[in-house]
Structure formats: C-alpha cells, structure tokens
Amino acid sequence: MNLEMLEKARARVPSIPVLVNLVSQRTKQLNRGERPFLRPIDRYEDKSDIALREIAEGLVVAQVDMQAVAEHQEAQARWGRRA
C-alpha cells in the first residue's frame, strides 16, 4: 500500500473507519471489474492503491446518512450515553 497516497486520502477523509470502509468498498468494485476513474500507473498497480488515489483526488467520496446519525445520537441520549 502506498503510504503517500494513504496520507493524501486521509486528508480528504479524516475518519479512519470511514476511510477503511471507502477503500474496501471501492477495491471490491474494482476487483469485480468496474472501471477505475483514473488511469492506473502501471499494469500491476494494486487495486487498493487505485482506490486510494481515487479518494485522494476526490473522485470517490463517502455519503453520510445524517438522519441515521441523528437517530443514533437521540437513542444514545435517551439511554444516558454520550454520542
């Protein structure tokens, strides 16, 4: 895994769990045969590196369901837990 690309992707997606899920999902898509959004550096470039580069370039972004987040926070508040 390219550490430089990892740092650039992390600058775009600061939440590590979200970044891991995003890279994982995009890598699975590439492994299934979906076309990359940018040209691979070489023929043997790892799919996870392609996914990281796509995220670092802003070509792949995460969608957050804000309603689900709000519901989770409300449930936590009802049970006296910190959100």
Side-chain angles (χ1 to χ4, degrees):
M1 183 175 286
N2 185 330
L3 294 179
E4 180 182 339
M5 275 304 127
L6 179 60
E7 288 303 317
K8 287 181 181 179
R10 190 160 178 233
R12 287 243 185 218
V13 183
S15 172
I16 293 174
V18 173
L19 180 59
V20 168
N21 287 333
L22 199 56
V23 171
S24 174
Q25 182 178 16
R26 185 62 183 143
T27 301
K28 287 177 186 176
Q29 292 171 349
L30 293 170
N31 284 332
R32 282 194 310 254
E34 289 191 27
R35 299 187 91 189
F37 296 129
L38 43 79
R39 182 169 292 160
I41 293 173
D42 64 30
R43 160 179 199 176
Y44 302 106
E45 183 178 18
D46 191 48
K47 301 288 196 253
S48 61
D49 285 341
I50 294 171
L52 278 174
R53 286 194 311 122
E54 290 176 344
I55 294 166
E57 295 292 325
L59 300 173
V60 176
V61 295
Q63 291 181 325
V64 178
D65 184 354
M66 295 308 289
Q67 182 178 354
V69 171
E71 289 172 2
H72 173 74
Q73 289 174 340
E74 288 173 14
Q76 293 294 318
R78 272 194 307 266
W79 291 97
R81 297 185 182 144
R82 296 171 65 187

